[in-house]
């Protein structure tokens, strides 16, 4: 999971605070203790601490959005955090003014370790901060004893509260996505059931009645074939007329199910070339490879996907141009639809916006293909539908 903008902001603030505190501690030590023998050690350890802190992202310490996104700490991350803490402890022993660098380390520990281990480390760091402040003080000051634990407790409480809110927000988003998927699936099922009911009624009222009439006429003709040939032949002619009407009705049903753009033997390339996305959008069609005969289901699915994609471009993308590319690659046919519109945040396998993209994915999935979407805000969208073809010959 990529880090959210607010998490990146928090990380930037913590990094900046750490280096500011580290630089202030070095400056304070040089001003208060010029020319001491321990000065080279303090400066060297300060540089080492800064370099170790910079190496944090390289070992994967701050790559997750939240502490709960991290797996169990690896040996590399534990070693890195141990080196940082050890270097800081030595610095605090040599120069107690470096104690306040522990505040950014609190958040680093909380983001790197599991909660219990992080709280334990924060407590240890707080003890060193209190000891360092008492060492710097010339007299007993209750604030120096109570302020560091209070700051550590406040920082820990704020971080834990933020984590809980983030987990609740992620759970809510997951529930909303799941509900939207279930709603879309329910609507598709209802639409499928309604279409099945319509087709069953059509078949019952037309084809089934025709077949029943044919059966009765042919049975009557069979009974009278020897005794009354003229009547039998009349029954057969009537049955033949009913069969012709049934065949016409069957063709009408098939015609209603197929896209009208593929009527009269028009191929998929011609149907795609004739599509448009409305005024203000220039649609360009490209054909790559040697066209091959496609199954009716494949042609119908690709045409419907192109029509749905152009409808989305017309309604949402605010694009000026759209490019349709149909590629015959031997073992598969690929349809790419690209536009220069607003784009959106695309997910490789998510449900997409509205019901158009889920319907496209369902069409492609039924044919054993895949649908991929590449998009980003302000960078347009590229939709690619790939359907495998059975070997010919």
């Amino acid at each position: 999971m990529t880090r959210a903008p607010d998490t990146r902001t928090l990380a930037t603030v913590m990094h900046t605070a750490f280096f500011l505190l580290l630089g202030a501690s070095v400056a304070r030590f040089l001003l208060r203790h010029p020319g001491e023998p321990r000065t080279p050690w303090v400066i060297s350890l300060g540089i080492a601490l800064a370099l170790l802190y910079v190496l944090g992202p390289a070992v994967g310490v701050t790559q997750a959005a939240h502490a709960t996104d991290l797996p169990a700490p690896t040996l590399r991350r534990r070693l890195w955090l141990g080196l940082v803490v050890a270097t800081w402890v030595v610095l605090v022993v040599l120069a107690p003014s470096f104690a306040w660098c522990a505040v950014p380390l609190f958040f680093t520990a909380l983001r790197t370790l599991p909660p219990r281990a992080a709280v334990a480390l924060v407590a240890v760091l707080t003890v060193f901060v209190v000891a360092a402040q008492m060492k710097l003080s010339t007299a007993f000051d209750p604030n120096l004893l109570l302020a560091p634990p209070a700051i550590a407790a406040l920082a820990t409480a704020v971080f834990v509260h933020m984590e809980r809110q983030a987990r609740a927000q992620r759970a809510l988003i997951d529930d909303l996505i799941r509900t939207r998927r279930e709603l879309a699936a329910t609507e598709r099922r209802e639409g499928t059931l309604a279409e099945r009911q319509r087709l069953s009624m059509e078949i019952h009222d037309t084809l089934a009645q025709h077949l029943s009439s044919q059966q009765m006429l042919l049975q009557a003709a069979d009974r009278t074939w020897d005794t009354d040939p003229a009547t039998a032949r009349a029954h057969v002619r009537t049955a033949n007329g009913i069969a012709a009407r049934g065949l016409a009705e069957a063709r009408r049903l098939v015609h209603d199910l197929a896209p009208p753009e593929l009527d009269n033997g028009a191929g998929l390339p011609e149907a795609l070339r004739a599509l448009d996305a409305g005024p203000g959008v220039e649609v360009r069609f490209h054909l790559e490879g040697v066209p091959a005969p496609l199954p009716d289901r494949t042609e119908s699915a690709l045409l419907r996907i192109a029509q749905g994609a152009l409808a989305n471009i017309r309604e949402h993308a605010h694009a000026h141009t759209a490019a349709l590319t149909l590629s015959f690659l031997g073992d598969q046919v690929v349809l790419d639809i690209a536009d220069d519109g607003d784009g959106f945040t695309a997910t490789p396998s998510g449900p997409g916006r509205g019901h158009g993209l889920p319907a496209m994915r369902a069409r492609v999935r039924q044919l054993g293909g895949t649908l991929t979407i590449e998009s980003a805000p302000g960078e347009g969208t590229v939709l690619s539908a790939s359907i495998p073809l059975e070997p010919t010959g």
Side-chain angles (χ1 to χ4, degrees):
M1 181 183 296
T2 56
R3 291 191 291 171
D6 54 348
T7 307
R8 289 196 296 267
T9 302
L10 176 61
T12 302
V13 171
M14 288 299 102
H15 297 336
T16 303
F18 175 80
F19 287 108
L20 287 176
L21 290 172
L22 183 62
S25 299
V26 172
R28 183 180 186 280
F29 178 81
L30 294 178
L31 291 174
R32 297 289 183 88
H33 309 281
E36 288 195 4
R38 54 178 173 164
T39 299
W41 290 99
V42 171
I43 295 176
S44 300
L45 289 172
I47 295 175
L49 182 60
L51 293 176
L52 284 172
Y53 195 85
V54 169
L55 289 176
V59 297
V61 174
T62 59
Q63 291 178 355
H66 304 278
T68 53
D69 294 330
L70 288 170
T74 63
L75 179 62
R76 185 171 58 178
R77 290 203 296 270
R78 287 178 175 177
L79 179 61
W80 173 84
L81 185 59
L83 288 175
V84 170
V85 172
T87 304
W88 174 81
V89 168
V90 175
L91 262 176
V92 172
V93 172
L94 292 177
S97 58
F98 284 85
W100 288 111
C101 293
V103 175
L105 294 183
F106 291 165
F107 287 93
T108 302
L110 290 168
R111 300 180 66 200
T112 305
L113 298 176
R116 292 185 179 179
V119 170
L121 181 57
V122 168
V124 173
L125 295 178
T126 304
V127 170
F128 274 89
V129 172
V130 172
Q133 294 304 307
M134 297 297 291
K135 184 177 179 180
L136 289 175
S137 177
T138 57
F140 177 76
D141 187 347
N143 286 334
L144 300 180
L145 182 62
L146 300 177
I151 293 174
L154 179 62
T156 303
V158 169
F159 188 88
V160 171
H161 178 69
M162 291 174 58
E163 286 298 306
R164 290 177 178 173
Q165 283 191 325
R167 284 195 297 268
Q169 185 179 26
R170 289 197 297 273
L172 178 60
I173 292 174
D174 292 341
D175 289 341
L176 290 175
I177 293 176
R178 183 167 54 254
T179 302
R180 186 175 66 176
R181 289 177 179 173
E182 293 174 355
L183 179 60
T186 301
E187 291 179 350
R188 287 196 298 271
R189 285 195 299 269
E190 291 177 351
T192 301
L193 291 175
E195 183 65 12
R196 287 178 178 175
Q197 184 178 9
R198 185 188 71 83
L199 288 176
S200 65
M201 294 174 60
E202 290 272 359
I203 293 173
H204 176 270
D205 294 340
T206 56
L207 297 181
Q209 297 296 332
H210 292 161
L211 290 173
S212 178
S213 299
Q214 292 175 54
Q215 183 183 30
M216 295 175 60
L217 288 168
L218 292 175
Q219 288 175 347
D222 182 64
R223 288 193 300 268
T224 61
W225 192 265
D226 295 328
T227 59
D228 191 355
T231 301
R233 284 192 292 271
H235 289 331
V236 171
R237 286 193 296 271
T238 304
N240 183 55
I242 294 175
R245 291 195 298 273
L247 179 60
E249 190 65 30
R251 287 173 175 170
R252 184 188 67 81
L253 289 174
V254 173
H255 178 273
D256 291 343
L257 293 176
E261 292 84 358
L262 297 175
D263 286 348
N264 303 322
L268 180 62
E270 289 74 16
L272 293 175
R273 186 177 284 109
L275 294 179
D276 66 84
V281 182
E282 179 185 1
V283 179
R284 303 168 183 169
F285 174 74
H286 306 278
L287 179 63
E288 296 184 356
V290 180
L294 298 175
D296 293 341
R297 291 184 61 198
T298 301
E299 286 191 337
S300 177
L302 291 177
L303 181 59
R304 292 305 192 201
I305 289 172
Q307 290 173 328
L310 291 179
N312 286 340
I313 293 173
R314 177 176 60 252
E315 296 175 7
H316 306 293
H318 305 103
H320 299 290
T321 60
L324 278 67
T325 304
L326 182 64
S327 304
F328 291 88
L329 305 178
D331 60 343
Q332 63 179 344
V333 58
V334 180
L335 176 63
D336 298 314
I337 302 104
D339 67 76
D340 59 355
D342 296 340
F344 60 99
T345 302
T347 57
S349 60
R353 303 176 301 176
H355 305 302
L357 294 180
M360 295 179 193
R361 287 195 174 93
R363 289 182 185 275
V364 174
R365 193 183 304 115
Q366 290 174 356
L367 298 174
T370 57
L371 183 75
T372 59
I373 302 170
E374 297 180 3
S375 183
E379 298 182 6
T381 303
V382 177
L383 182 148
S384 180
S386 175
I387 298 178
L389 300 178
E390 295 182 359
T392 58

